[in-house]
C-alpha cells in the first residue's frame, strides 16, 4: 500500500518533526560534501512554505565515547542549512530538556529549529540506536506530525524514526524518501524487462542476499569488482593474490548453479603485482600468475558489459568494478557508469557510497533516473526486505 507523503498532510500551525539524513562527511568541523543537506531541502521548504513549524534532526557519525561528541556536533550543519535556506535556523545544543522544549514552544508558523545529533543519546545506553521506548515517546511529544526523510537509516529501527512514528498520530514520508520508495521499490516489485543488474565492490559476503533476490528478478547479473574473484576461483581459475573469500566458494558455486546462466563474469582484468596505484597489465582470466592482483575489469569485459546493457529497460548498479580509488584502476567503473548514463529509455538506478561517488565524479547525476542516498538501506531494499523506517510510516 502507498505511504502518506508530506504533501498529503495539513501542516499549518503544526509542530512538524522532520527526521533528515545530515550524516555528511566532516573534517575538523568543516562539511566536505553537502549533497545530503541539499537533498532534504524540498521537504523542509515545503513544510515552511505551508506554515509548519519545522523541527529538524539527524544523526551524525557514531557516538561511543565523550570524545566523539565534539567531532559529531551538528552545529556547523545548522549554519550551512541556514545559508542554503536563506533563513534563520535556531540550533539547540541538546537532544531533550527545557531549552529545547521552550524553543519549540516559541516557534512561529514557518520557523525552523534544529536540535543536536540524535546519537548523543547513544552515550547513555544507546538510547537512539536501540530505539529506547521512553526516548521515542519523548521526541514524539515534541511534535504534532512526523515526517521521515532519512533513507540512509531506513533499514534501522531507531528512536528517531520508528520510535517517534509509533508514538505520534500522523506520519508521512518526505519527498526524498518518496523518491527512493518509488524507484527502488519499483525495481523490486515491478521491474520493466530486460532488467540488468551490475554488482561490484569488495566482498561477496556483503551482497549474497541481493544476488539471491536478483536471480529471481533480473534477466542478467553482471559481476565485477573484488567479488568477481571468489566466483572465478569457484569455477577453478587461478586468481593469484586477488581478493577472495575462501569460505564463500561453495556458496559462489551454488549461486552460479541457481542463476542458470544469468550471472555474467567478465573475461579480462587489469592486474598488478601489488595492491597499489601502479600501472597494471591486462590479462585474461586464464592467464593469472600466482602473484597477480586483479584490480579492475579489462577492456574486453567492459565491452561485454556494454553489450549486455544494450536495450535494458531497468538497470540497477551497486558497487565499483575495480579499486576505483586508484587512478590506474578506475576505468572499468567509469566506463560502466558512462554506459548506463547513455542508455535511452531505461530506468537507471545507482546505489552505494563508492558507486555514487563515481557518478558524481563524471557529473552524471542527472543522467540516472535515480541516485540513491542510501548504501546499506539501498542494498536491503533491493534484497526485498521490509525497511523499518519505511514500514513505520502510515499508509495513505
Ligand atoms: P559501494 O560503496 O558502491 O556500495 P562497496 O563499498 O561494496 O561499494 O565496495 C567498494 C570497494 O570495493 C572499494 O573500496 C574498492 O576498492 C573495492 N574493490 C573494488 N574492486 C576491487 C578489487 N578488484 N579488489 C579489491 N577491492 C576492490
Ligand atoms: Mg562502500
Amino acid at each position: 500500500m502507498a505511504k502518506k507523503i508530506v504533501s498529503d498532510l495539513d501542516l499549518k500551525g503544526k509542530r512538524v518533526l522532520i527526521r533528515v539524513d545530515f550524516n555528511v562527511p566532516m573534517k575538523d568541523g568543516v562539511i566536505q560534501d553537502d549533497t545530503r543537506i541539499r537533498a532534504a531541502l524540498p521537504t523542509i521548504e515545503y513544510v515552511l512554505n505551508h506554515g509548519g513549524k519545522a523541527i529538524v534532526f539527524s544523526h551524525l557519525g557514531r557516538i561511543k565515547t565523550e570524545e566523539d561528541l565534539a567531532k559529531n556536533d551538528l552545529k556547523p550543519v545548522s549554519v550551512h542549512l541556514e545559508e542554503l535556506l536563506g533563513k534563520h535556523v535556531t540550533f539547540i545544543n541538546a537532544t531533550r530538556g527545557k531549552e529545547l522544549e521552550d524553543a519549540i514552544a516559541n516557534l512561529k508558523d514557518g520557523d525552523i529549529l534544529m536540535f543536536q545529533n540524535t546519537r548523543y543519546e547513544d552515550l547513555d545506553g544507546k538510547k537512539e540506536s536501540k530505539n529506547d521506548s521512553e526516548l521515542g515517546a519523548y521526541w514524539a511529544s515534541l511534535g504534532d506530525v512526523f515526517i521521515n526523510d532519512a533513507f540512509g537509516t531506513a533499514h534501522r529501527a531507531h528512536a528517531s524514526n520508528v520510535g517517534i512514528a509509533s508514538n505520534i498520530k500522523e506520519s508521512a514520508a518526505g519527498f526524498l524518501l518518496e523518491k527512493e520508495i518509488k524507484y527502488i521499490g519499483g525495481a523490486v516489485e515491478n521491474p520493466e524487462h530486460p532488467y540488468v543488474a551490475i554488482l561490484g565492490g569488495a566482498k561477496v559476503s556483503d551482497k549474497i542476499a541481493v544476488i539471491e533476490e536478483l536471480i529471481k528478478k533480473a534477466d542478467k547479473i553482471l559481476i565485477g569488482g573484488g567479488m568477481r574473484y571468489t566466483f572465478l576461483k569457484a569455477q577453478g581459475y587461478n586468481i593469484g593474490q586477488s581478493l577472495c573469500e575462501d569460505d564463500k566458494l561453495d556458496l559462489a558455486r551454488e549461486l552460479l548453479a541457481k542463476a542458470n546462466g544469468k550471472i555474467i563474469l567478465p573475461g579480462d582484468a587489469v592486474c598488478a603485482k601489488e595492491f597499489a596505484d601502479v600501472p597494471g597489465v591486462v590479462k585474461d582470466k586464464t592467464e593469472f600468475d600466482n602473484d597477480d592482483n586483479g584490480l579492475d575489469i579489462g577492456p574486453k569485459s567492459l565491452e561485454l558489459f556494454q553489450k549486455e546493457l544494450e536495450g535494458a529497460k531497468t538497470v540497477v548498479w551497486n558497487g565499483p568494478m575495480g579499486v576505483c580509488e586508484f587512478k590506474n584502476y578506475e576505468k572499468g567503473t567509469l566506463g560502466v557508469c558512462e554506459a548506463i548514463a547513455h542508455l535511452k529509455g531505461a530506468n537507471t538506478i545507482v546505489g552505494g557510497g563508492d558507486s555514487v561517488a563515481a557518478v558524481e565524479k563524471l557529473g552524471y547525476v542527472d543522467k540516472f533516473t535515480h541516485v540513491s542516498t542510501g548504501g546499506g538501506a539501498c542494498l536491503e531494499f533491493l534484497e526485498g526486505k521490509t525497511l523499518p523506517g519505511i514500514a513505520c510510516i502510515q499508509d495513505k
Side-chain angles (χ1 to χ4, degrees):
M1 198 183 289
K3 294 290 172 186
K4 267 192 198 166
I5 307 303
V6 54
S7 48
D8 294 325
L9 305 183
D10 176 17
L11 301 165
K12 179 107 185 79
K14 301 261 176 75
R15 296 168 301 163
V16 185
L17 296 164
I18 312 175
R19 172 55 157 111
V20 292
D21 181 359
F22 286 170
N23 185 32
V24 292
M26 290 275 238
K27 213 172 155 192
D28 305 321
V30 180
I31 298 162
Q32 305 297 304
D33 177 359
D34 70 351
T35 309
R36 286 181 170 172
I37 308 177
R38 290 175 187 276
L41 293 179
T43 298
I44 296 174
E45 283 173 337
Y46 183 91
V47 170
L48 298 176
N49 292 336
H50 287 78
K53 301 167 179 176
I55 302 153
V56 174
F57 48 98
S58 171
H59 77 286
L60 176 62
R62 290 215 171 100
I63 308 285
K64 289 191 178 135
T65 63
E66 294 272 346
E67 289 84 76
D68 295 330
L69 295 175
K71 265 196 304 214
N72 295 299
D73 182 356
L74 267 180
K75 169 86 190 181
V77 174
S78 81
V79 171
H80 191 66
L81 178 63
E82 191 162 85
E83 283 164 20
L84 292 175
L85 286 171
K87 186 178 173 55
H88 174 66
V89 176
T90 302
F91 182 75
I92 303 296
N93 182 18
T95 49
R96 59 168 86 211
K98 188 165 180 331
E99 191 196 353
L100 174 62
E101 291 158 23
D102 287 350
I104 291 173
N106 285 328
L107 288 175
K108 297 195 180 57
D109 296 359
D111 280 354
I112 172 166
L113 170 156
M114 199 172 133
F115 66 78
Q116 188 52 280
N117 185 352
T118 54
R119 287 196 186 159
Y120 273 36
E121 292 281 347
D122 278 352
L123 206 51
D124 177 17
K126 292 200 163 235
K127 288 201 162 83
E128 152 75 326
S129 298
K130 288 200 166 151
N131 189 13
D132 176 80
S133 57
E134 183 271 331
L135 181 60
Y138 170 72
W139 279 337
S141 76
L142 301 176
D144 301 304
V145 298
F146 172 58
I147 310 293
N148 190 13
D149 212 14
F151 181 66
T153 44
H155 58 316
R156 305 272 179 252
H158 287 173
S160 63
N161 53 17
V162 173
I164 297 177
S166 41
N167 283 287
I168 204 158
K169 273 223 288 291
E170 212 170 11
S171 58
F175 295 123
L176 185 60
L177 194 62
E178 179 195 23
K179 208 169 162 247
E180 301 276 5
I181 297 171
K182 178 174 165 194
Y183 291 110
I184 305 180
V188 173
E189 275 164 28
N190 197 13
E192 223 188 307
H193 292 271
Y195 174 5
V196 180
I198 307 179
L199 295 179
K203 296 193 291 185
V204 184
S205 49
D206 290 341
K207 318 241 162 143
I208 296 164
V210 82
I211 296 173
E212 300 252 12
E213 178 71 14
L214 288 169
I215 288 173
K216 290 185 249 160
K217 300 270 168 67
D219 301 298
K220 291 276 166 65
I221 307 162
L222 317 180
I223 294 188
M227 58 193 263
R228 157 185 190 227
Y229 297 98
T230 301
F231 283 99
L232 290 179
K233 186 162 175 185
Q235 290 180 321
Y237 293 100
N238 177 16
I239 57 164
Q241 300 302 308
S242 307
L243 196 69
C244 183
E245 289 168 279
D246 283 311
D247 59 332
K248 295 290 179 289
L249 291 172
D250 285 338
L251 181 92
R253 273 185 283 265
E254 269 169 47
L255 289 171
L256 286 168
K258 242 194 245 175
N260 204 3
K262 280 186 181 180
I263 291 183
I264 312 282
L265 293 161
D268 61 351
V270 193
C271 297
K273 298 290 178 193
E274 54 187 319
F275 190 91
D277 195 3
V278 292
V281 177
V282 175
K283 291 199 169 182
D284 188 72
K285 63 187 171 190
T286 55
E287 298 171 343
F288 275 52
D289 291 324
N290 291 339
D291 57 354
D292 274 324
N293 279 278
L295 299 181
D296 195 7
I297 58 171
K300 282 202 185 118
S301 304
L302 182 57
E303 222 173 280
L304 172 72
F305 281 7
Q306 282 162 340
K307 234 179 129 112
E308 294 288 352
L309 281 165
E310 275 170 27
K313 288 285 174 210
T314 303
V315 177
V316 167
W317 173 33
N318 177 283
M321 296 294 104
V323 185
C324 56
E325 306 86 310
F326 294 165
K327 264 261 112 319
N328 284 290
Y329 299 96
E330 64 177 14
K331 274 206 194 83
T333 303
L334 298 182
V336 159
C337 179
E338 184 110 34
I340 302 171
H342 289 109
L343 286 175
K344 298 259 182 297
N347 247 328
T348 54
I349 300 165
V350 55
D354 297 284
S355 327
V356 170
V359 176
E360 285 171 347
K361 186 168 176 180
L362 284 174
Y364 283 166
V365 171
D366 294 337
K367 296 200 174 178
F368 279 75
T369 313
H370 182 61
V371 178
S372 177
T373 54
C378 176
L379 263 187
E380 288 197 20
F381 207 175
L382 288 172
E383 286 164 16
K385 283 195 189 146
T386 301
L387 305 191
I390 295 175
C392 71
I393 297 166
Q394 283 165 358
D395 294 324
K396 275 207 205 232

